[in-house]
């Protein structure tokens, strides 16, 4: 049984329930991508660098999709922050490799 987000006054309207399901699905996808992204560090081989770059590109698409979702905004802020941290870290590490 799902969580009752309406403060105990009954179940969510069907439209809101669908929004919650969609946010949950998007959250799971982004979290799985982030898990694979962080697992590619340290960037000790060209294969890992390529993997990190590929995941960052896919994450960017999800990030923009999440940003454009006007509904459920408070629910996606932590996801956007986690993506921001990954982008910053990945960009720094990849640019450090180019400077070596």
């Amino acid at each position: 049984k799902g969580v009752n987000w309406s403060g105990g006054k009954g179940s969510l309207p069907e439209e809101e329930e669908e929004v919650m399901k969609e946010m949950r699905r998007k959250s799971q996808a982004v979290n799985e991508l982030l898990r694979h992204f962080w697992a590619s560090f340290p960037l000790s081989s060209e294969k890992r660098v390529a993997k990190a770059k590929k995941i960052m590109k896919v994450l960017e698409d999800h990030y923009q999709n999440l940003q454009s979702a006007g509904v459920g905004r408070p629910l996606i802020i932590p996801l956007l922050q986690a993506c921001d941290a990954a982008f910053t870290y990945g960009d720094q590490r990849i640019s450090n490799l180019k400077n070596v």
Side-chain angles (χ1 to χ4, degrees):
K1 188 172 178 177
V3 175
N4 183 348
W5 295 99
S6 63
K9 298 179 182 176
S11 62
L12 288 173
E14 192 171 316
E15 184 178 301
E16 288 181 40
E17 185 65 37
E18 288 303 312
V19 169
M20 292 300 292
K21 285 180 184 176
E22 182 67 15
M23 288 294 115
R24 197 169 17 257
R25 187 188 64 73
K26 289 179 180 184
S27 172
Q28 289 170 338
V30 169
N31 281 320
E32 186 67 14
L33 285 167
L34 287 167
R35 186 179 71 79
H36 286 282
F37 172 79
W38 292 113
S40 64
F41 290 90
L43 299 175
S44 56
S45 69
E46 284 300 315
K47 188 175 181 179
R48 283 180 172 232
V49 172
K51 178 181 176 181
K53 286 180 179 180
K54 183 177 179 181
I55 293 170
M56 284 176 66
K57 182 155 180 49
V58 175
L59 268 174
E60 283 180 35
D61 295 338
H62 282 275
Y63 185 91
Q64 293 192 2
N65 187 324
L66 286 171
Q67 275 190 317
S68 65
V71 216
R73 185 94 177 127
L75 301 173
I76 61 172
I77 289 173
L79 283 177
L80 296 175
Q81 291 171 334
C83 288
D84 286 335
F87 295 145
T88 300
Y89 187 85
D91 288 340
Q92 288 174 348
R93 295 306 177 271
I94 291 169
S95 71
N96 285 347
L97 292 175
K98 293 176 185 174
N99 294 331
V100 174

